[in-house]
Amino acid sequence: MSDVSVDMSPSLAGVKMTAPLLEVEELKVEFRTRAGIAKAINGVSFEVNSGETLAILGESGCGKSVTAQAIMGILDTPPGYITGGQIRYRGVDLLKRTDEERRLVRANKIAMIFQDALSALNPVFTVGFQLAELFRKHRGMSRADGKKRAVELLDLVKIPAARQRVSDFPHQFSGGMRQRVMIAMSLALDPELLIADEPTTALDVTVQAQIMSLLAELQRERQMGMILITHDMGVVADVADRINIMYAGRIVEKAPVYDIYAKPSHPYTKALLESIPRVDLKGQQLNVIRGLPPNLTRIPAGCAFNPRCRYVRDACKVDPIPPLYEIKPGISSACHFWKEVRGDD
Amino acid sequence: MGRYIVRRLLQFIPTVLGTLFLLHYLTTVGIQLTGNPIRALFGDKRPAPETLAALTSRLHLDDPCLKQKGNPCLGLFRERLVDIGQLDFGTNFRFRPVFDWRGFFDRAHASIITDALPYTIKITIIAFTIEALVGVFIGMRAGMKPGKSLDYSVKISTVMVISVPVFVLGILIQQFITRDFGNFLRGQEWIPEVISRGVFGSAYKQEFPFASLIIPGIVLGMLSLATTARLTRTSVHENMRADYVRTAKAKGLTHKRVIGVHTLRNSLIPVATNLGLSIGGYMTGAIITETIFNVPGVGNQTARAIFQGEPAVLIGITTMLVLVYLVANLLVDLLYAVLDPRIRYE
Ligand SMILES: Nc1ncnc2c1ncn2[C@@H]1O[C@H](COP(=O)(O)OP(=O)(O)O)[C@@H](O)[C@H]1O
Ligand SMILES: [Mg+2]
């Protein structure tokens, strides 16, 4: 570490370091648009602790990014509004704090990596400027010290010739290198929690693996909590500890990674698994989930997945919505017929 | 970069030659159709044939091709080019030189263009300053709060300004502001003359060299101001929702910095180029505005040259305007490269 590193990370009143890193409880978000009210998040709860990786997985449009934006406090309002629930960082409900307090949580405590680094980095500033900005504005460093730290960060994420590249603009980097810059930026202020929203979706398959292993390595070294958001079941297997499966703004299954793959407890999870291309089944027709995710302004009554479900019964088509049934400690499923889905007796 | 500039400068040559030829041809055909323009100088009087012949010959209007309708008079064009190459733009019918660069420094070498240019430069600076400051400011405020009252008033008022022709706007302002309102001001004892007779005077006045150019400057800049405000509004509005703005927020930067540094810098790229191009637009706008407010600038001289069929004056001034326009365009391109690194490194 460099001589200019001083920890001046601002502290948030009421924080208890013994409390869980992040607890999201019954979060509800809606978008008020001309087409109606889109209920994007309908009571999502989960918890992340230091040193662990939680994967949030679901088809595109199910509300993963909105969840991340709500936690960061960067939702577009209007049209997006948080209509209920709590987001607790170390026991402090962030939704009750002032804008200024929330601003200081961002990047200092909770940082985020975006999907498409080309559009997420500002095209008119050098990556050095965009990295140094964090040190200058949050740590009061000079431009020169900020730049020194920027070079260190580029080294940390293994960008070759960091000293030269720090003066380059985002469009001069390859896709993978650009995502490394994004990662460097998120780690600048040593956050406790990292939210990675589809960090590899925009990349080539070979580069995807490198970026995932870099992320996993940095997360382990720094004992950060990480929320890894993806729609790709193949990405999470090696990296995540636990998985939450999301559908139409709800979590429909929670389980440790191994159990999800070995024995899915929700028909949606099962369908997702069947849609992964597998080497051992090469040549066979790939299963895609039939039908489309529901329109969020008109979510069907009962289980939102019922129109597409293989196991559907009459009970699935009427309210109440199936609760998250706890199957074993750490495993739960929002399906009335989880036993049948698992093949348990 | 240097090679790019040289290439662009070389591209100017055909544009300037083409413009010169077009003007030459139009004025030549004009003479061929309406006869010797010198005669018009004498009005009702009939000049002695020798006088007429002498004048005609001195102004190079005795070439036989000027009697053959449709003849492009290429010989005359070549002579003109050679003269212009030596910075000799000829004279008007009263033998006042059209352009002499020494006129900028020395009254003894005064010429039409060097006398007129300072007025046009002043009025252009006024127009540009108002356009850049007011247009960008209101466009920015409107773009930051779409759907609010300021946004709507900007949208409506700019559409009005854009859809009304400049001469209508100019005459309306002259009638109602500088005449009616100005007369009211001039009736009040306590208002200083700079305001009542200068700023709100209905025409340019030598005693108030700056004040009486303000309203003509505003009229000249109004159209570009409206387009600049609209462009800024759209650009800021689009950029506010850009991914990198969300990143800037996620970095825990203050709202002021997210808007003032990250959003604005990107939003202003198209605006800056538009500002540069509007300088070219001022050259045409000046013909109307200066005529309405009787400002003795380049635009006024152009209008006069057109009405009096003075080929040398028209060609001299237009050549200069074309050059200004081309240089402004080149500067805009360079500015674009400075503002947008994606262009710079191509
Ligand atoms: N800015 C927005 N305006 C309106 N609706 C939005 C906006 N952002 C997200 N939504 C709604 O929220 C839903 C979930 O979006 P998102 O969280 O981005 O999905 P994903 O799981 O693919 O990240 C979308 O289907 C859309 O209906
Ligand atoms: Mg998303």
Side-chain angles (χ1 to χ4, degrees):
Chain A
M1 277 279 150
S2 112
D3 48 335
V4 285
S5 121
V6 203
D7 185 32
M8 298 190 336
S9 175
S11 57
L12 186 66
V15 158
K16 286 191 291 287
M17 289 314 280
T18 48
L21 177 56
L22 183 83
E23 298 159 282
V24 174
E25 200 176 302
E26 283 300 311
L27 181 68
K28 291 193 174 72
V29 177
E30 62 186 36
F31 287 92
R32 298 172 192 159
T33 63
R34 272 188 214 150
I37 294 181
K39 300 207 176 266
I41 311 290
N42 303 298
V44 159
S45 307
F46 57 81
E47 183 182 316
V48 195
N49 283 297
S50 295
E52 77 166 348
T53 298
L54 169 73
I56 296 182
L57 209 144
E59 279 167 300
S60 150
C62 71
K64 306 180 296 289
S65 299
V66 171
T67 308
Q69 287 164 17
I71 296 170
M72 292 298 291
I74 55 171
L75 207 58
D76 289 330
T77 309
Y81 296 87
I82 296 180
T83 52
Q86 293 194 345
I87 297 172
R88 288 193 298 273
Y89 158 74
R90 298 277 181 214
V92 171
D93 183 5
L94 295 177
L95 299 181
K96 294 208 173 66
R97 293 310 175 104
T98 62
D99 287 349
E100 185 60 12
E101 283 175 306
R102 294 213 67 183
R103 177 174 80 75
L104 292 172
V105 170
R106 300 200 261 278
N108 280 300
K109 311 292 186 199
I110 307 178
M112 182 159 172
I113 298 173
F114 295 89
Q115 171 174 344
D116 181 5
L118 183 59
S119 61
L121 293 170
N122 194 323
V124 303
F125 296 115
T126 63
V127 303
F129 176 91
Q130 297 183 57
L131 290 167
E133 186 178 34
L134 285 157
F135 299 110
R136 285 169 48 218
K137 298 299 153 189
H138 287 282
R139 299 286 184 269
M141 284 186 197
S142 67
R143 264 172 201 269
D145 286 343
K147 186 151 177 196
K148 223 187 275 176
R149 295 298 305 269
V151 174
E152 289 174 9
L153 279 172
L154 293 185
D155 266 333
L156 176 78
V157 295
K158 306 189 176 96
I159 290 180
R163 198 170 294 281
Q164 285 86 51
R165 305 241 52 191
V166 77
S167 326
D168 283 351
F169 289 91
H171 71 275
Q172 294 171 288
F173 288 79
S174 69
M177 288 299 150
R178 221 160 19 226
Q179 195 55 279
R180 284 171 197 262
V181 172
M182 193 87 243
I183 295 173
M185 190 179 283
S186 68
L187 297 178
L189 305 179
D190 297 313
E192 293 172 68
L193 176 67
L194 187 61
I195 303 176
D197 187 359
E198 314 236 12
T200 61
T201 305
L203 304 175
D204 293 343
V205 183
T206 45
V207 184
Q208 280 185 1
Q210 295 164 7
I211 295 292
M212 275 324 296
S213 69
L214 174 70
L215 260 181
E217 182 188 321
L218 290 165
Q219 183 262 341
R220 239 185 349 261
E221 274 171 13
R222 301 173 161 234
Q223 281 299 296
M224 287 183 296
M226 179 154 92
I227 299 176
L228 176 64
I229 291 174
T230 176
H231 68 263
D232 183 355
M233 273 232 149
V235 165
V236 294
D238 306 328
V239 183
D241 299 302
R242 292 184 292 121
I243 296 190
N244 284 359
I245 308 283
M246 202 162 169
Y247 188 78
R250 280 172 198 282
I251 288 174
V252 295
E253 177 167 356
K254 299 184 172 209
V257 167
Y258 174 79
D259 299 78
I260 286 270
Y261 285 91
K263 210 170 205 186
S265 314
H266 193 281
Y268 179 57
T269 316
K270 213 163 178 176
L272 279 179
L273 282 169
E274 282 162 7
S275 66
I276 312 177
R278 277 169 51 178
V279 185
D280 52 332
L281 297 179
K282 213 153 120 191
Q284 288 190 21
Q285 180 99 37
L286 205 64
N287 284 306
V288 279
I289 311 176
R290 67 192 162 96
L292 290 171
N295 180 337
L296 296 176
T297 55
R298 277 176 278 115
I299 299 177
C303 172
F305 188 59
N306 84 67
R308 305 168 76 185
C309 184
R310 261 186 282 155
Y311 298 84
V312 64
R313 310 261 179 87
D314 287 344
C316 305
K317 296 180 185 169
V318 290
D319 284 339
I321 296 162
L324 265 176
Y325 296 103
E326 177 148 8
I327 298 167
K328 292 182 200 174
I331 303 183
S332 44
S333 161
C335 178
H336 296 308
F337 306 102
W338 57 268
K339 274 190 187 141
E340 189 185 335
V341 177
R342 283 169 67 88
D344 293 353
D345 291 304
Chain B
M1 211 55 170
R3 274 172 66 193
Y4 172 76
I5 297 175
V6 170
R7 212 170 59 216
R8 280 294 300 266
L9 287 173
L10 289 176
Q11 284 171 358
F12 284 6
I13 295 172
T15 316
V16 173
L17 278 180
T19 315
L20 281 176
F21 179 72
L22 204 65
L23 283 166
H24 164 81
Y25 191 59
L26 286 174
T27 48
T28 304
V29 170
I31 293 173
Q32 286 163 349
L33 292 178
T34 57
N36 191 346
I38 303 294
R39 209 168 275 140
L41 278 180
F42 294 90
D44 293 339
K45 283 174 278 178
R46 291 196 132 257
E50 313 83 72
T51 323
L52 189 61
L55 271 177
T56 309
S57 137
R58 242 188 100 185
L59 289 161
H60 304 286
L61 292 169
D62 53 354
D63 197 295
C65 77
L66 288 173
K67 296 222 157 50
Q68 302 158 8
K69 293 195 169 82
N71 187 332
C73 293
L74 291 176
L76 278 182
F77 182 56
R78 205 173 47 234
E79 275 174 37
R80 208 191 281 283
L81 285 186
V82 172
D83 286 348
I84 289 177
Q86 294 160 355
L87 286 183
D88 174 6
F89 282 83
T91 69
N92 71 359
F93 293 154
R94 293 187 166 82
F95 302 107
R96 232 166 98 62
V98 172
F99 177 71
D100 187 338
W101 61 270
R102 291 168 298 186
F104 285 120
F105 312 103
D106 183 358
R107 289 296 315 158
H109 294 283
S111 66
I112 295 176
I113 290 181
T114 50
D115 279 356
L117 201 55
Y119 298 101
T120 303
I121 291 178
K122 265 189 234 163
I123 183 176
T124 302
I125 289 176
I126 293 172
F128 185 80
T129 312
I130 291 172
E131 175 193 0
L133 295 183
V134 180
V136 170
F137 183 75
I138 62 176
M140 215 177 79
R141 300 308 298 246
M144 277 164 58
K145 293 216 160 73
K148 292 284 161 62
S149 54
L150 177 74
D151 186 29
Y152 282 116
S153 22
V154 167
K155 266 202 244 178
I156 293 170
S157 57
T158 52
V159 164
M160 273 163 51
V161 170
I162 290 169
S163 45
V164 176
V166 182
F167 60 89
V168 174
L169 204 68
I171 290 172
L172 283 176
I173 287 181
Q174 194 186 39
Q175 292 284 311
F176 292 109
I177 296 188
T178 62
R179 198 197 58 192
D180 295 353
F181 185 60
N183 279 343
F184 164 75
L185 292 182
R186 286 183 278 278
Q188 310 295 110
E189 286 290 315
W190 53 275
I191 292 174
E193 290 222 315
V194 180
I195 306 280
S196 63
R197 297 192 50 234
V199 177
F200 289 97
S202 50
Y204 174 74
K205 285 191 194 61
Q206 209 67 48
E207 315 101 84
F208 306 108
F210 178 75
S212 61
L213 285 180
I214 292 179
I215 285 188
I218 293 176
V219 171
L220 180 62
M222 200 101 106
L223 178 66
S224 328
L225 188 151
T227 34
T228 298
R230 286 185 79 84
L231 186 66
T232 311
R233 179 195 161 275
T234 317
S235 183
V236 168
H237 180 58
E238 269 169 18
N239 278 287
M240 295 259 295
R241 288 285 145 101
D243 283 355
Y244 61 80
V245 171
R246 184 170 281 154
T247 311
K249 287 183 198 157
K251 284 162 85 176
L253 301 174
T254 55
H255 181 68
K256 221 166 102 188
R257 192 170 171 88
V258 171
I259 299 289
V261 175
H262 287 268
T263 313
L264 208 55
R265 176 65 200 275
N266 281 279
S267 316
L268 288 185
I269 294 173
V271 176
T273 64
N274 180 62
L275 283 177
L277 292 177
S278 67
I279 293 179
Y282 288 151
M283 298 295 127
T284 31
I287 298 179
I288 296 164
T289 317
E290 291 183 356
T291 307
I292 293 176
F293 291 97
N294 208 18
V295 179
V298 167
N300 203 336
Q301 298 296 339
T302 315
R304 224 179 267 192
I306 293 171
F307 291 133
Q308 295 170 357
E310 292 255 24
V313 181
L314 195 57
I315 289 174
I317 293 181
T318 313
T319 311
M320 193 198 71
L321 297 186
V322 168
L323 283 175
V324 170
Y325 196 89
L326 291 174
V327 170
N329 261 299
L330 177 66
L331 291 179
V332 164
D333 278 3
L334 298 182
L335 183 68
Y336 205 100
V338 170
L339 289 177
D340 192 341
R342 285 165 296 186
I343 308 270
R344 206 181 314 162
Y345 288 89
E346 251 162 29

